[in-house]
């Protein structure tokens, strides 16, 4: 069942077209990612979905509602955590949750929600004294306090250290498992690959591709790369004769082999038959960045 439908969305400003032509659908119960470099139009797109901006043209529906015309009804089904959102420095965690809960006729139990996001021990801590990860957890809690069917999370882990980022990912998965559909805006490839069931790639205000992470990576050719230092000289022809191998290049003492399928086992077996050991072996798979590069000629980072 489709819970969000966006068709030919366009939004411009006096000297800048932020969103040129964006269309996508989000199914109920999935984590749907909007991925692209900074300035691609991701935040403007979700602000139009959330009713915070009025599109110049195109249509947006969230659970059948027009975000602009049905703004009051939309608040009952959509929770939003925006990248630019901030709270007063002195407001305490419990005060923020209590305040936001007062905006809804049938809010969630914010005490339980506070425990669920791991902030119970910080209930009396002022916003200014929270760590980056704790602030993001509070943002998620505030987005959920109205019991939404859909939560929009914009650049949720920007500025977080690796451990806080992974903790936040686990929280997002828990939220989805509770039945909330999630729209995740990000420019982190690893985040999108880890969390998203499907995603759309946006560049310069346009959708360049939509699909599962695996399907989009396959559009990059699905190539793998092996890089290693052989224990003895290797004739490139030996490896090029393997059906999995597409190319072999040398760089100093190292060899780099690209190919498809069971590339690593095929190469290591062929080397072993000639008593060559591949030391410092590294295996690299194609990534979403490779897919974005293949589709746009630019990298995500």
């Amino acid at each position: 069942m489709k819970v969000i439908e966006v068709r030919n969305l366009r939004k411009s400003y006096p000297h800048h077209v932020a969103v040129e032509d964006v269309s996508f659908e989000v199914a109920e119960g999935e984590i749907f990612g909007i991925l692209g470099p900074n300035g691609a139009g991701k935040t403007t797109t979700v602000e139009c979905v959330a009713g915070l901006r009025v599109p110049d043209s195109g249509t947006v529906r969230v659970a059948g509602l027009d975000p602009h015309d049905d703004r009051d009804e939309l608040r009952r089904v959509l929770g939003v955590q925006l990248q630019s959102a901030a709270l007063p420095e002195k407001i305490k965690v419990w005060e923020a949750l209590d305040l936001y809960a007062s905006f809804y006729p049938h809010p969630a139990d914010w005490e339980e929600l506070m425990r669920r996001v791991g902030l119970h021990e910080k209930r009396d801590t002022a916003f200014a004294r929270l760590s980056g990860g704790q602030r993001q957890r509070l943002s998620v809690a505030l987005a959920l306090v109205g019991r939404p069917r859909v939560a929009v999370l914009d650049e949720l882990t920007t500025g977080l250290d690796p451990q806080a980022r992974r903790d936040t990912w686990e929280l997002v998965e828990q939220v989805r498992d509770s039945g909330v559909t999630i729209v995740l805006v990000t420019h982190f490839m690893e985040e999108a690959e880890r969390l998203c069931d499907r995603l759309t790639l946006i560049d310069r205000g346009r959708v360049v591709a939509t699909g599962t992470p695996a399907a989009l990576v396959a559009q990059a050719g699905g190539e793998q790369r092996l890089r290693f230092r052989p224990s003895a000289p290797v004739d490139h022809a030996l490896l090029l004769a393997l059906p999995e191998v597409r190319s072999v290049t040398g760089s100093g003492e190292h060899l780099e082999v690209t190919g498809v399928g069971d590339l690593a086992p095929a190469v290591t077996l062929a080397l072993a038959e000639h008593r060559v050991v591949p030391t410092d072996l590294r295996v690299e798979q194609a990534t979403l960045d490779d897919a974005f590069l293949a589709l746009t000629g630019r990298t995500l980072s």
Side-chain angles (χ1 to χ4, degrees):
M1 177 180 175
K2 293 178 289 189
V3 69
I4 295 178
E5 296 179 78
V6 177
R7 291 281 177 270
N8 306 116
L9 183 68
R10 177 184 170 86
K11 178 64 179 178
S12 62
Y13 301 100
H15 304 291
H16 173 59
V17 177
V19 178
E20 179 72 26
D21 183 15
V22 168
S23 300
F24 60 86
E25 297 176 351
V26 180
E28 190 157 19
E30 73 177 340
I31 298 179
F32 184 86
I34 299 179
L35 180 67
N38 291 326
K42 305 185 301 296
T43 294
T44 299
T45 296
V46 296
E47 286 176 343
C48 291
V49 170
L52 300 175
R53 297 193 184 275
V54 181
D56 298 334
S57 60
T59 59
V60 179
R61 294 293 182 270
V62 181
L65 301 171
D66 183 303
H68 179 65
D69 295 339
D70 306 313
R71 186 172 298 179
D72 289 341
E73 292 89 342
L74 183 70
R75 286 200 304 120
R76 300 189 183 103
V77 299
L78 183 70
V80 182
Q81 174 272 327
L82 293 177
Q83 183 181 6
S84 58
L87 292 169
E89 290 191 353
K90 293 183 179 180
I91 195 170
K92 296 177 181 178
V93 169
W94 77 266
E95 291 174 331
L97 286 164
D98 186 50
L99 174 65
Y100 273 61
S102 71
F103 300 156
Y104 301 94
H106 304 289
D109 179 345
W110 62 260
E111 290 270 8
E112 188 278 331
L113 189 57
M114 184 167 55
R115 282 189 287 270
R116 182 173 159 195
V117 301
L119 288 176
H120 187 261
E121 294 182 357
K122 298 291 182 179
R123 60 171 290 130
D124 293 317
T125 302
F127 181 76
R129 297 180 60 189
L130 296 175
S131 69
Q134 290 163 350
R135 291 186 182 193
Q136 295 298 58
R137 285 176 170 269
L138 178 58
S139 292
V140 173
L142 295 175
L144 298 177
V145 76
R147 298 181 185 272
R149 286 175 59 189
V150 182
V152 174
L153 307 177
D154 184 14
E155 298 289 3
L156 186 63
T157 62
T158 297
L160 299 188
D161 62 63
Q163 185 57 54
R165 180 170 294 153
R166 282 168 174 75
D167 290 344
T168 304
W169 291 349
E170 290 181 5
L171 175 60
V172 170
E173 290 172 327
Q174 291 169 14
V175 171
R176 190 271 299 275
D177 291 344
S178 72
V180 179
T181 302
I182 293 174
V183 176
L184 182 71
V185 181
T186 184
H187 65 275
F188 293 121
M189 295 174 295
E190 184 184 2
E191 184 164 283
E193 289 177 316
R194 157 78 183 266
L195 293 176
C196 296
D197 300 302
R198 292 188 309 120
L199 54 89
T200 189
L201 299 178
I202 294 182
D203 184 41
R204 297 187 175 101
R206 290 180 175 272
V207 170
V208 294
T210 300
T212 65
L216 294 177
V217 168
Q219 292 188 40
E223 279 196 343
Q224 305 167 49
R225 290 183 292 272
L226 302 184
R227 181 176 169 81
F228 59 90
R229 181 164 51 85
S231 61
V234 176
D235 184 351
H236 290 194
L238 167 68
L239 299 178
L240 289 169
L242 300 173
E244 295 85 358
V245 173
R246 290 184 175 175
S247 69
V248 180
T249 57
S251 176
E253 296 181 344
H254 287 80
L255 286 181
E256 184 172 289
V257 182
T258 64
V260 296
D262 296 325
L263 179 65
V267 169
T268 53
L269 179 60
L271 293 174
E273 290 175 349
H274 290 78
R275 297 183 180 180
V276 176
V277 177
T279 59
D280 301 328
L281 177 64
R282 293 176 55 189
V283 181
E284 297 178 0
Q285 303 282 352
T287 67
L288 284 173
D289 200 16
D290 295 319
F292 195 82
L293 178 63
L295 290 163
T296 69
R298 304 197 305 141
T299 62
L300 276 164
S301 47

